[in-house]
Amino acid sequence: MKKSSYIIFYILIGSFVQISHAQVASYPFTGNANDISGNNHNGVVNGAVLSVDRNGNPASAYSFNGLNQSISIAYHSDFNILPAGQFTISLWVNSASFNSSARALFIKCNNGPTPMSSNWDYGIYLFTNNKIMIGYSNTHICFSTTQLQVGQWYCVTGTYNNGTWKLYINGLLESQSLNSGLYITQSTSGIGIGKKGESIFDHFDGKLDDITFYNVALTAGQVSSLCASSTGNIPIIALQSSDTIFCEKQCIDFTDLSTNNPTSWQWYFNGANPDTSTVQNPTSICYNTYGSFDVTLIACNAAGCDTLTLPGFINEYQSPIPSITQSNDTLFASPAFSYQWWSVGSGIVFGATNSFFVPIQAGAYYVIIYDSIGCIGTSNVIAITGVKENGFSSSFIIYPNPTTGQFTINLGSNNKKVDVNITDITGKIIYTTIEVETQKLEVNTQDFAKGIYVVKIQTADFTETKKLVVEK
């Protein structure tokens, strides 16, 4: 593996040595529009603004507003290529919009009064539907198959060799016209970056960087090496989804967070529909079965690709299906993580958050439960047609009721052991005692807050409740 890496390194170095001598002009845009080839074909900035480049470096690319901003390069015979000659234009482009107009990237053209009279000798356009076009004088020779996505960087290279045209995107050949007989023209026109030469037409909106003009037609290998070397590093993949753990079948969205400016994406969604995508940020990925599912993303740029697989990244759970049963005066819910009891007629029963519930009035009741994942389920409804107010013995009486202080519970005379519990409306136990052969129980409400309480009396045979009102 190491040996292969070194071989690639030497191939790249060899390519750079060969093509550097063929540079007519080179614009890295590091703080200005100067030509670093040594030929002094410096650009004149007309309103374009320095911006962050594809590698995050500030003031290392130029941004254009699509209205009146450009960079001009004066005419020089170095750019006047013979029809039988050769050239290569290489640049990095980041489109700010998606529209149907033609937008000039690097064009040699005169200053005609109309778009049709502004005849261009050669150049590269961002054309309709955000596809790249290379050609000359209103003759559109080659179009890219790649449709440039807004906000993404692309390495664009066009070559010409005696009527043969080739167009590369990110180092890969996408279109060519072999021996077409379509030859470039010559003139004393200057070059426009971000607009159509010397004219006032076809302004570009977006960013441009690392523009180089060669007087040779680079080979496919040289183009690939050029884009790879100026790309920097392969993508480092990161991603997120709108949800990773959810209940029941639903559709979610994914977002690519990869660094180093990937230009293509391949997603794999195990168990989903659709189960693949090639867009940067897929939406409406639907999981229609319960389970745990892997997600894989392959992101590429001209330097290479990176792959990330996240095992069990998506987890879809079935919502619980609770049930309630009745035993005497008490309703019991099936096991869950948390509970909330509801009345069909009056809504939520405040404080009723236990697995069991003792209604204090007739009505229809159900429970909503949550499991440990947070999935929610709603139970069946049970109707309580009557609530005994006078317990297991006709002598089970509370008085005075309402009370403002002490009250008495008459337990009757036929009970060997009685459990007495008094709870507030939240279910909190306020008072509890066990009485043996007690007929009357005196309870002081000094520590009771004003409100409604439930008095629960339980023996070995019966469980009954009664409402108590405490007034202060």
Side-chain angles (χ1 to χ4, degrees), residues 244-250 289-293 312 314-320 371-375:
T244 58
I245 299 176
F246 48 89
C247 310
E248 290 305 317
K249 303 165 186 178
Q250 66 172 314
T289 57
Y290 306 118
S292 182
F293 306 102
I314 301 299
N315 293 275
E316 180 175 343
Y317 295 91
Q318 184 175 8
S319 294
D371 63 17
S372 59
I373 302 300
C375 298

mmCIF file of all heavy atoms in Angstrom, residues 244-250 289-293 312 314-320 371-375:
data_model
loop_
_atom_site.group_PDB
_atom_site.id
_atom_site.type_symbol
_atom_site.label_atom_id
_atom_site.label_comp_id
_atom_site.label_asym_id
_atom_site.label_seq_id
_atom_site.Cartn_x
_atom_site.Cartn_y
_atom_site.Cartn_z
ATOM 1 N N THR A 244 -33.086 9.754 15.015
ATOM 2 C CA THR A 244 -32.408 8.462 14.984
ATOM 3 C C THR A 244 -33.169 7.391 15.758
ATOM 4 O O THR A 244 -33.001 6.212 15.494
ATOM 5 C CB THR A 244 -30.983 8.566 15.561
ATOM 6 O OG1 THR A 244 -31.047 9.055 16.906
ATOM 7 C CG2 THR A 244 -30.121 9.502 14.723
ATOM 8 N N ILE A 245 -33.964 7.804 16.716
ATOM 9 C CA ILE A 245 -34.787 6.879 17.489
ATOM 10 C C ILE A 245 -36.210 7.403 17.455
ATOM 11 O O ILE A 245 -36.470 8.533 17.870
ATOM 12 C CB ILE A 245 -34.286 6.766 18.945
ATOM 13 C CG1 ILE A 245 -32.851 6.240 18.982
ATOM 14 C CG2 ILE A 245 -35.196 5.858 19.752
ATOM 15 C CD1 ILE A 245 -32.256 6.203 20.379
ATOM 16 N N PHE A 246 -37.133 6.591 16.956
ATOM 17 C CA PHE A 246 -38.502 7.064 16.855
ATOM 18 C C PHE A 246 -39.466 5.887 16.947
ATOM 19 O O PHE A 246 -39.082 4.719 16.841
ATOM 20 C CB PHE A 246 -38.733 7.852 15.562
ATOM 21 C CG PHE A 246 -38.215 7.203 14.324
ATOM 22 C CD1 PHE A 246 -39.005 6.322 13.596
ATOM 23 C CD2 PHE A 246 -36.933 7.475 13.872
ATOM 24 C CE1 PHE A 246 -38.534 5.734 12.451
ATOM 25 C CE2 PHE A 246 -36.441 6.882 12.722
ATOM 26 C CZ PHE A 246 -37.246 6.007 12.004
ATOM 27 N N CYS A 247 -40.721 6.234 17.169
ATOM 28 C CA CYS A 247 -41.769 5.244 17.361
ATOM 29 C C CYS A 247 -42.684 5.229 16.144
ATOM 30 O O CYS A 247 -43.042 6.280 15.611
ATOM 31 C CB CYS A 247 -42.596 5.576 18.602
ATOM 32 S SG CYS A 247 -41.592 5.890 20.075
ATOM 33 N N GLU A 248 -43.023 4.053 15.724
ATOM 34 C CA GLU A 248 -43.896 3.857 14.579
ATOM 35 C C GLU A 248 -43.212 4.275 13.275
ATOM 36 O O GLU A 248 -42.149 4.896 13.265
ATOM 37 C CB GLU A 248 -45.228 4.582 14.770
ATOM 38 C CG GLU A 248 -46.103 3.956 15.836
ATOM 39 C CD GLU A 248 -46.367 2.473 15.613
ATOM 40 O OE1 GLU A 248 -46.630 2.071 14.463
ATOM 41 O OE2 GLU A 248 -46.291 1.719 16.592
ATOM 42 N N LYS A 249 -43.835 3.945 12.185
ATOM 43 C CA LYS A 249 -43.248 4.142 10.868
ATOM 44 C C LYS A 249 -43.314 5.617 10.482
ATOM 45 O O LYS A 249 -44.359 6.234 10.559
ATOM 46 C CB LYS A 249 -44.002 3.285 9.851
ATOM 47 C CG LYS A 249 -43.997 1.801 10.220
ATOM 48 C CD LYS A 249 -45.012 1.010 9.441
ATOM 49 C CE LYS A 249 -45.069 -0.432 9.948
ATOM 50 N NZ LYS A 249 -46.083 -1.231 9.243
ATOM 51 N N GLN A 250 -42.162 6.148 10.053
ATOM 52 C CA GLN A 250 -42.143 7.545 9.645
ATOM 53 C C GLN A 250 -41.003 7.795 8.675
ATOM 54 O O GLN A 250 -40.144 6.939 8.455
ATOM 55 C CB GLN A 250 -42.021 8.471 10.861
ATOM 56 C CG GLN A 250 -40.712 8.374 11.613
ATOM 57 C CD GLN A 250 -40.619 9.464 12.676
ATOM 58 O OE1 GLN A 250 -40.909 10.625 12.436
ATOM 59 N NE2 GLN A 250 -40.193 9.077 13.869
ATOM 60 N N THR A 289 -40.683 -0.572 8.484
ATOM 61 C CA THR A 289 -40.636 -1.762 9.335
ATOM 62 C C THR A 289 -39.878 -1.423 10.614
ATOM 63 O O THR A 289 -39.035 -0.532 10.629
ATOM 64 C CB THR A 289 -39.943 -2.932 8.619
ATOM 65 O OG1 THR A 289 -38.616 -2.536 8.228
ATOM 66 C CG2 THR A 289 -40.716 -3.365 7.383
ATOM 67 N N TYR A 290 -40.187 -2.146 11.674
ATOM 68 C CA TYR A 290 -39.523 -1.918 12.948
ATOM 69 C C TYR A 290 -38.157 -2.609 12.940
ATOM 70 O O TYR A 290 -37.978 -3.672 12.356
ATOM 71 C CB TYR A 290 -40.368 -2.462 14.098
ATOM 72 C CG TYR A 290 -41.779 -1.923 14.106
ATOM 73 C CD1 TYR A 290 -42.878 -2.773 13.951
ATOM 74 C CD2 TYR A 290 -42.011 -0.565 14.244
ATOM 75 C CE1 TYR A 290 -44.169 -2.289 13.953
ATOM 76 C CE2 TYR A 290 -43.304 -0.056 14.246
ATOM 77 C CZ TYR A 290 -44.387 -0.928 14.096
ATOM 78 O OH TYR A 290 -45.652 -0.426 14.085
ATOM 79 N N GLY A 291 -37.196 -1.968 13.612
ATOM 80 C CA GLY A 291 -35.887 -2.584 13.704
ATOM 81 C C GLY A 291 -34.777 -1.565 13.819
ATOM 82 O O GLY A 291 -35.015 -0.357 13.982
ATOM 83 N N SER A 292 -33.545 -2.052 13.728
ATOM 84 C CA SER A 292 -32.342 -1.229 13.795
ATOM 85 C C SER A 292 -31.643 -1.294 12.444
ATOM 86 O O SER A 292 -31.414 -2.389 11.911
ATOM 87 C CB SER A 292 -31.414 -1.737 14.904
ATOM 88 O OG SER A 292 -30.269 -0.932 15.021
ATOM 89 N N PHE A 293 -31.271 -0.143 11.880
ATOM 90 C CA PHE A 293 -30.820 -0.089 10.495
ATOM 91 C C PHE A 293 -29.523 0.702 10.354
ATOM 92 O O PHE A 293 -29.328 1.729 11.009
ATOM 93 C CB PHE A 293 -31.896 0.543 9.618
ATOM 94 C CG PHE A 293 -33.232 -0.127 9.743
ATOM 95 C CD1 PHE A 293 -34.242 0.444 10.518
ATOM 96 C CD2 PHE A 293 -33.485 -1.331 9.119
ATOM 97 C CE1 PHE A 293 -35.470 -0.173 10.649
ATOM 98 C CE2 PHE A 293 -34.712 -1.959 9.242
ATOM 99 C CZ PHE A 293 -35.704 -1.383 10.006
ATOM 100 N N GLY A 312 -26.603 0.338 12.967
ATOM 101 C CA GLY A 312 -27.712 0.589 13.876
ATOM 102 C C GLY A 312 -27.976 2.054 14.137
ATOM 103 O O GLY A 312 -28.432 2.431 15.216
ATOM 104 N N ILE A 314 -30.217 4.063 12.792
ATOM 105 C CA ILE A 314 -31.649 4.346 12.837
ATOM 106 C C ILE A 314 -32.346 3.217 13.599
ATOM 107 O O ILE A 314 -32.158 2.037 13.293
ATOM 108 C CB ILE A 314 -32.240 4.475 11.431
ATOM 109 C CG1 ILE A 314 -31.522 5.604 10.662
ATOM 110 C CG2 ILE A 314 -33.739 4.741 11.499
ATOM 111 C CD1 ILE A 314 -31.648 6.966 11.300
ATOM 112 N N ASN A 315 -33.154 3.591 14.581
ATOM 113 C CA ASN A 315 -33.878 2.609 15.385
ATOM 114 C C ASN A 315 -35.353 2.989 15.427
ATOM 115 O O ASN A 315 -35.716 4.070 15.902
ATOM 116 C CB ASN A 315 -33.310 2.558 16.800
ATOM 117 C CG ASN A 315 -31.895 2.016 16.828
ATOM 118 O OD1 ASN A 315 -31.679 0.808 16.858
ATOM 119 N ND2 ASN A 315 -30.907 2.913 16.808
ATOM 120 N N GLU A 316 -36.186 2.088 14.903
ATOM 121 C CA GLU A 316 -37.623 2.327 14.850
ATOM 122 C C GLU A 316 -38.329 1.301 15.744
ATOM 123 O O GLU A 316 -38.126 0.097 15.598
ATOM 124 C CB GLU A 316 -38.130 2.207 13.415
ATOM 125 C CG GLU A 316 -39.619 2.447 13.283
ATOM 126 C CD GLU A 316 -40.081 2.431 11.832
ATOM 127 O OE1 GLU A 316 -39.235 2.553 10.936
ATOM 128 O OE2 GLU A 316 -41.289 2.293 11.620
ATOM 129 N N TYR A 317 -39.144 1.790 16.659
ATOM 130 C CA TYR A 317 -39.806 0.940 17.636
ATOM 131 C C TYR A 317 -41.314 0.988 17.453
ATOM 132 O O TYR A 317 -41.873 2.006 17.033
ATOM 133 C CB TYR A 317 -39.461 1.388 19.061
ATOM 134 C CG TYR A 317 -37.997 1.231 19.407
ATOM 135 C CD1 TYR A 317 -37.098 2.274 19.184
ATOM 136 C CD2 TYR A 317 -37.520 0.049 19.932
ATOM 137 C CE1 TYR A 317 -35.753 2.140 19.496
ATOM 138 C CE2 TYR A 317 -36.169 -0.104 20.255
ATOM 139 C CZ TYR A 317 -35.296 0.945 20.028
ATOM 140 O OH TYR A 317 -33.969 0.803 20.329
ATOM 141 N N GLN A 318 -41.940 -0.126 17.811
ATOM 142 C CA GLN A 318 -43.389 -0.176 17.778
ATOM 143 C C GLN A 318 -43.938 0.435 19.057
ATOM 144 O O GLN A 318 -43.441 0.166 20.153
ATOM 145 C CB GLN A 318 -43.876 -1.620 17.654
ATOM 146 C CG GLN A 318 -45.387 -1.748 17.520
ATOM 147 C CD GLN A 318 -45.815 -3.189 17.278
ATOM 148 O OE1 GLN A 318 -45.012 -4.102 17.364
ATOM 149 N NE2 GLN A 318 -47.090 -3.366 16.964
ATOM 150 N N SER A 319 -44.941 1.267 18.931
ATOM 151 C CA SER A 319 -45.554 1.884 20.107
ATOM 152 C C SER A 319 -46.224 0.816 20.970
ATOM 153 O O SER A 319 -46.775 -0.160 20.450
ATOM 154 C CB SER A 319 -46.578 2.939 19.696
ATOM 155 O OG SER A 319 -45.951 4.017 19.060
ATOM 156 N N PRO A 320 -46.182 0.980 22.294
ATOM 157 C CA PRO A 320 -46.812 -0.009 23.169
ATOM 158 C C PRO A 320 -48.334 -0.001 23.006
ATOM 159 O O PRO A 320 -48.927 1.011 22.633
ATOM 160 C CB PRO A 320 -46.402 0.456 24.564
ATOM 161 C CG PRO A 320 -46.150 1.924 24.417
ATOM 162 C CD PRO A 320 -45.572 2.089 23.044
ATOM 163 N N ASP A 371 -43.275 4.020 27.177
ATOM 164 C CA ASP A 371 -42.263 3.018 27.491
ATOM 165 C C ASP A 371 -40.924 3.705 27.703
ATOM 166 O O ASP A 371 -40.821 4.945 27.663
ATOM 167 C CB ASP A 371 -42.194 1.930 26.419
ATOM 168 C CG ASP A 371 -41.776 2.467 25.045
ATOM 169 O OD1 ASP A 371 -41.242 3.586 24.975
ATOM 170 O OD2 ASP A 371 -41.981 1.754 24.041
ATOM 171 N N SER A 372 -39.871 2.923 27.949
ATOM 172 C CA SER A 372 -38.564 3.504 28.279
ATOM 173 C C SER A 372 -37.932 4.244 27.109
ATOM 174 O O SER A 372 -37.037 5.073 27.293
ATOM 175 C CB SER A 372 -37.616 2.401 28.756
ATOM 176 O OG SER A 372 -37.467 1.407 27.749
ATOM 177 N N ILE A 373 -38.385 3.989 25.881
ATOM 178 C CA ILE A 373 -37.877 4.682 24.699
ATOM 179 C C ILE A 373 -38.542 6.038 24.543
ATOM 180 O O ILE A 373 -38.004 6.960 23.944
ATOM 181 C CB ILE A 373 -38.104 3.821 23.439
ATOM 182 C CG1 ILE A 373 -37.429 2.463 23.597
ATOM 183 C CG2 ILE A 373 -37.574 4.514 22.197
ATOM 184 C CD1 ILE A 373 -35.955 2.530 23.803
ATOM 185 N N GLY A 374 -39.732 6.170 25.102
ATOM 186 C CA GLY A 374 -40.526 7.378 24.922
ATOM 187 C C GLY A 374 -41.699 7.185 23.992
ATOM 188 O O GLY A 374 -42.413 8.139 23.665
ATOM 189 N N CYS A 375 -41.891 5.946 23.539
ATOM 190 C CA CYS A 375 -43.044 5.661 22.685
ATOM 191 C C CYS A 375 -44.319 5.698 23.525
ATOM 192 O O CYS A 375 -44.329 5.265 24.680
ATOM 193 C CB CYS A 375 -42.889 4.298 22.027
ATOM 194 S SG CYS A 375 -41.441 4.177 20.932
#
